[in-house]
Amino acid sequence: MAAAIAQSTPTRPIAGTSLKILTWHHIVTEVDDWMRGFVSQWGQQNQVTATIDFADSATIPHALKTELEQGTGHDLIEHIAPLPMYARDLADLSDVQAEAASRHGAPLGFCQQDGLDPDSGRVYGFVHGYSPLAIFYRQSMWEAIQMASGPRSWSDLATGSKAIYETQGIPLAFGLSGDLDTTNTVLAALWAHGGSVIDRNGAIALDSDATLAVVELFRELYASCMLPNVLDWTIRSNNDAMFNNLAAVIFNPLSAYRFTLQNRHDTGVDMRARQPLTGDPAILAGQQPVTPAGVRFVSMVPAFSENQDTAREFLLALVSVYDQVNVASKTYNFPAYPSTVPLLKQDGGLLDNDPTYPDQGHQLSVLKQSNRWTVNMGWPGPTTPLAAAATVDGVLGRMVARAAQGQLSSRDAVREAVARLETLRQRVG
């Protein structure tokens, strides 16, 4: 799909400047091609020498850190998780956020929070979109164990996954590594059990009965229905497992559903989506379970860049054509500014009637409610540098993996994770 010329007219004099962009290799590969075309056409339209580089998502935090230390590199760097620990060396993009809001309405709160440095109040990262998490399950596999609606709770997940592994030989495909998907999964489980990594006031809160219960849960799951490959999970592993008929359920954005439906249609049509898993009803008292975004697109401008205004204009142009981004990503990229893709969540809109696969009807309709369960990475408090550093460091994945393998008791795994958080806090302030 070719990118369309941007319709956003720059308000700053940027002709004759340049723009070097670094971003991740999108999980929906067609987006990379669309971005190349958009960057090229936008550059030509505005007399800007614009280039874009792509890298594995896991390498971008280190690349950003290195470029900031060296004082040279790209003018615009995008990551899929918050990085407020680098805020002091990044340009304040409050003006971009304000201008985007004036044109398109207010951004979603959790997107805004994941680009905000709570210590300084500066918008260090402009979040233009996100992808929500949901449970995706194989209906036929769960129907075979008399759970046709899939798992509704973490307890259902444990019971059903064991039964599926014992009767069908299909393991539970939830990662126990240091990758972002594992962090998101453990966070969701922790929140569903009434715990958190950091409390509302920014204090470390991981040492709790809730955390211990979650570590014990994953220890049990690993022993009963997981394979050792989950210890090496990457951001693409969920997709691969579902595509290769090696998963009955995953916790993921909708890329695995899209990829499987496109390339292994008989498997894809067996997939169903539902909201995240509930936890202990006595703790949650009927509250909606919450999860972080699967990814959020955080664009950052290094303070050393001599083309900061050009980067600002590019971001505003990108938001102005977000309906095209949504189409190119096969609806993976949800907008941070909802008015830019008005058909996405309307009744009868893109999530009710899939334009790519009309025969799939309302399979993604549950995602129309995803704003109700999606929260910022630092929930129940702000997304602090410590919360972000813990994500990059893989603290939660290491905690559950150490206990699952029997390297540490569950209690000692929690204590080790708390000690690691204390070390990270000293580093990021």
Side-chain angles (χ1 to χ4, degrees):
M1 176 182 176
I5 298 261
Q7 300 301 311
S8 175
T9 302
T11 59
R12 303 169 178 87
I14 61 174
T17 62
S18 63
L19 182 66
K20 294 171 60 178
I21 303 169
L22 175 64
T23 189
W24 70 311
H25 278 295
H26 202 289
I27 198 77
V28 180
T29 56
E30 291 88 342
V31 178
D32 289 1
D33 291 334
W34 186 90
M35 281 296 296
R36 288 187 187 97
F38 179 72
V39 168
S40 176
Q41 291 191 36
W42 181 85
Q44 292 173 20
Q45 180 192 47
N46 294 286
Q47 301 175 53
V48 170
T49 303
T51 59
I52 185 167
D53 297 319
F54 297 89
D56 183 272
S57 61
T59 69
I60 288 182
H62 178 72
L64 173 64
K65 181 176 184 291
T66 299
E67 292 191 8
L68 293 176
E69 289 173 348
Q70 295 176 348
T72 186
H74 293 84
D75 302 296
L76 184 63
I77 299 176
E78 182 173 285
H79 188 44
I80 58 175
L83 297 172
M85 57 282 219
Y86 302 119
R88 65 183 180 184
D89 295 316
L90 299 168
D92 185 355
L93 300 179
S94 299
D95 56 341
V96 181
Q97 191 173 88
E99 179 61 26
S102 72
R103 299 181 187 186
H104 308 292
L108 295 170
F110 58 86
C111 288
Q112 189 172 14
Q113 290 178 60
D114 274 341
L116 180 71
D117 174 22
D119 294 334
S120 67
R122 298 167 71 249
V123 177
Y124 76 90
F126 179 74
V127 180
H128 56 75
Y130 73 103
S131 191
L133 286 169
I135 290 292
F136 289 89
Y137 67 97
R138 291 285 301 277
Q139 186 178 38
S140 63
M141 293 180 179
W142 286 83
E143 191 171 39
I145 60 165
Q146 287 72 55
M147 295 178 70
S149 297
R152 297 177 179 272
S153 66
W154 285 94
S155 178
D156 286 348
L157 177 81
T159 301
S161 295
K162 292 174 195 174
I164 288 172
Y165 189 50
E166 290 171 358
T167 61
Q168 302 173 52
I170 301 298
L172 175 60
F174 278 25
L176 299 183
S177 70
D179 81 317
L180 180 61
D181 279 351
T182 296
T183 295
N184 287 336
T185 300
V186 179
L187 268 179
L190 188 59
W191 292 341
H193 287 78
S196 66
V197 177
I198 299 168
D199 67 19
R200 295 179 184 275
N201 300 314
I204 295 172
L206 192 61
D207 192 358
S208 68
D209 290 342
T211 304
L212 188 61
V214 169
V215 174
E216 287 287 340
L217 169 65
F218 280 101
R219 180 197 284 269
E220 178 186 358
L221 290 170
Y222 184 75
S224 62
C225 55
M226 285 181 161
L227 298 180
N229 67 339
V230 298
L231 300 169
D232 301 313
W233 222 239
T234 72
I235 197 170
R236 297 182 184 275
S237 296
N238 281 334
N239 296 40
D240 292 342
M242 186 61 77
F243 177 75
N244 290 306
N245 289 311
L246 295 175
V249 59
I250 59 175
F251 184 49
N252 209 56
L254 54 81
S255 56
Y257 172 75
R258 289 294 191 205
F259 182 77
T260 304
L261 199 58
Q262 179 179 345
N263 295 286
R264 184 164 281 171
H265 196 69
D266 58 336
T267 298
V269 297
D270 190 36
M271 293 175 66
R272 299 291 184 269
R274 62 171 304 107
Q275 71 177 37
L277 303 171
T278 61
D280 185 338
I283 294 173
L284 292 181
Q287 297 178 47
Q288 168 74 52
V290 294
T291 74
V295 304
R296 77 290 293 143
F297 306 101
V298 188
S299 292
M300 297 160 286
V301 178
F304 64 70
S305 172
E306 297 179 354
N307 300 293
Q308 294 183 23
D309 283 351
T310 309
R312 286 177 165 88
E313 292 296 342
F314 176 82
L315 291 172
L316 290 170
L318 182 64
V319 172
S320 74
V321 293
Y322 223 76
D323 55 340
Q324 297 176 40
V325 180
N326 180 257
V327 171
S329 69
K330 298 181 173 63
T331 65
Y332 182 95
N333 282 51
F334 281 38
Y337 295 81
S339 70
T340 60
V341 192
L343 292 178
L344 182 62
K345 294 188 176 181
Q346 288 181 2
D347 288 344
L350 299 176
L351 293 175
D352 282 339
N353 296 293
D354 188 337
T356 308
Y357 299 100
D359 62 319
Q360 289 308 289
H362 289 63
Q363 297 303 338
L364 297 178
S365 294
V366 66
L367 296 181
K368 290 164 57 179
Q369 308 300 321
S370 61
N371 290 352
R372 295 183 180 180
W373 69 68
T374 307
V375 296
N376 64 298
M377 181 63 78
W379 192 89
T383 302
T384 63
L386 177 56
T391 298
V392 173
D393 190 72
V395 172
L396 297 182
R398 188 182 307 113
M399 176 181 70
V400 294
R402 294 269 277 166
Q405 295 175 89
Q407 295 173 346
L408 293 174
S409 69
S410 296
R411 176 66 70 185
D412 285 344
V414 174
R415 288 170 177 160
E416 181 182 74
V418 171
R420 182 59 181 171
L421 289 173
E422 293 286 2
T423 298
L424 291 174
R425 181 163 60 181
Q426 294 300 316
R427 292 181 183 178
V428 301

